Amino acid sequence: MRAVIAYGKGDVRVEALELPRPGPGQVAVRIAYGGICGSDLHYVHRGGVGDYSIREPLTLGHEVSGTVAELGEGVDGPPVGTPVTVHPATPCGECAQCRAGRPNTCPSTRYLGSAAHLPHVQGGFADVLVVRAAQLVELPAGLALDRAALAEPLAVALHALSRAGDVRGRRVLVTGAGPIGVLVAAAARHAGAAEVVVSDLVPQALEVARRCGATSTVPAGDQAGGLDAGDPLDVDVAVEASGAPQALGTCVRHVVRGGIVVQVGLLPPGDVPAPGNLLVTKEVDLRGAFRFADEIRTAVDLLAGGLPVDAVLTHRVPVAEAVPAFDLAGDRTVASKVLLDFTGDVTGGTAD
């Protein structure tokens, strides 16, 4: 079978691997589409994500959809051919975080396509992915597999929004119009936010945000007409989705006194500057949001219900062209979410 494997900075290859078979309690999924995430781009372009570097060959990918191909021993269903997406996380289920209902912050969680542990957790950019049966999320009838590949990033967006609390009737700012930021904006509008302002440096990304529910957009930065060139917006909630250190300061400056800032974008490794005095004098509530718990099921329902996010899906690239697809996905003037297409035929135990 074909798999997309990163060996280190600037070294990603499409290689042939033996076709895996499911063991007891496992299911094999025939992958149809895999979305290239910001973390995948970091592994390819930087050799690591945050504090985690590639130390052995790593099959990338955790945003996937497909159909059930084979059931392992002891698994009753879903039947072969069932369309599914996959929850990428395997928390330990025993630590204090898991017992408190926070499996997304379990320190032992193993996540598809992650170099956080050794051995690395191999990901879903492959023709066939074997996972625990409990990780499968069945798709409702009529939900297209390419659209279903957005379930994982939408779940991240939903978790970030949940960290802000009820946004009905409130003004929300989202900094960063990458896929996560745009999905936060769409989810906020669906949740009843009265106004959703999205900022970014890239005009093309702001257009995607407008098409997915942003009530207004504004250029980031302090240039003429930029978000930081005028008076504070006095939003109730700000969600920082760019991972740019300066954007955290932007959120703190534009939120009201007593407002909430949620940091979901992964910041660079190490310490980053933050406007600590404003956090104090405005009594801003700064909250982190990491991955998600079980929001992927809500995400699937929203996608099946027609949440207007199709504009995020800008490109579908055959897996054979995966290497240039990472460059495409990194060009924000052209692309938002790039999907790797695995729907071509696979024969035998390895790919040609």
Side-chain angles (χ1 to χ4, degrees):
M1 72 171 185
R2 301 162 299 182
V4 181
I5 302 174
Y7 285 80
K9 179 179 179 181
D11 187 0
V12 61
R13 315 170 197 175
V14 180
E15 295 190 340
L17 300 180
E18 289 298 320
L19 199 65
R21 300 290 301 277
Q26 296 181 323
V27 175
V29 178
R30 172 71 167 90
I31 300 299
Y33 295 97
I36 296 177
C37 175
S39 62
D40 298 315
L41 290 176
H42 285 312
Y43 281 129
V44 171
H45 295 149
R46 302 180 186 177
V49 173
D51 297 322
Y52 306 126
S53 298
I54 294 175
R55 290 163 284 173
E56 64 183 17
L58 174 66
T59 301
L60 299 171
H62 55 266
E63 303 175 3
V64 295
S65 62
T67 55
V68 173
E70 185 180 0
L71 304 179
E73 180 183 350
V75 179
D76 294 330
V80 170
T82 301
V84 295
T85 187
V86 176
H87 194 310
T90 302
C92 75
E94 300 176 355
C95 70
Q97 294 300 305
C98 287
R99 294 196 305 271
R102 299 171 59 94
N104 56 304
T105 55
C106 167
S108 300
T109 290
R110 298 181 65 79
Y111 211 82
L112 292 179
S114 170
H117 300 283
L118 270 177
H120 296 340
V121 183
Q122 301 304 311
F125 287 171
D127 284 305
V128 175
L129 172 67
V130 172
V131 295
R132 295 176 302 115
Q135 291 177 256
L136 298 187
V137 180
E138 295 187 43
L139 303 181
L143 178 56
L145 287 174
D146 56 352
R147 184 172 165 89
L150 286 175
E152 196 275 352
L154 179 56
V156 173
L158 290 170
H159 183 70
L161 200 61
S162 75
R163 294 284 290 146
D166 190 354
V167 298
R168 286 177 295 180
R170 308 186 82 185
R171 301 184 72 209
V172 178
L173 168 66
V174 181
T175 55
I180 296 296
V182 170
L183 293 171
V184 169
R189 284 293 287 162
H190 182 270
E195 183 177 356
V196 180
V197 182
V198 179
S199 73
D200 200 282
L201 292 169
V202 180
Q204 293 87 342
L206 293 177
E207 175 57 27
V208 173
R210 284 190 287 269
R211 293 172 62 188
C212 292
T215 58
S216 62
T217 60
V218 60
D222 57 5
Q223 72 271 31
L227 180 62
D228 290 327
D231 295 330
L233 294 180
D234 288 338
V235 297
D236 302 295
V237 172
V239 180
E240 203 305 283
S242 73
Q246 60 269 33
L248 174 57
T250 293
C251 287
V252 173
R253 285 189 290 274
H254 284 282
V255 78
V256 297
R257 292 176 180 268
I260 297 169
V261 173
V262 178
Q263 180 70 46
V264 64
L266 281 175
L267 295 161
D271 296 335
V272 297
N277 285 338
L278 280 180
L279 284 169
V280 172
T281 60
K282 294 176 70 173
E283 288 201 345
V284 171
D285 193 343
L286 176 60
R287 304 174 182 178
F290 185 57
R291 295 174 177 164
F292 57 93
D294 200 40
E295 288 92 342
I296 194 167
R297 300 181 188 279
T298 302
V300 164
D301 290 341
L302 289 175
L303 291 168
L307 188 73
V309 293
D310 284 337
V312 175
L313 297 173
T314 55
H315 295 81
R316 296 158 182 81
V317 179
V319 65
E321 301 172 20
V323 174
F326 285 95
D327 290 330
L328 173 64
D331 186 350
R332 301 184 64 245
T333 67
V334 175
S336 184
K337 179 62 68 179
V338 175
L339 297 182
L340 296 181
D341 184 345
F342 288 83
T343 59
D345 291 337
V346 181
T347 57
T350 60
D352 293 334

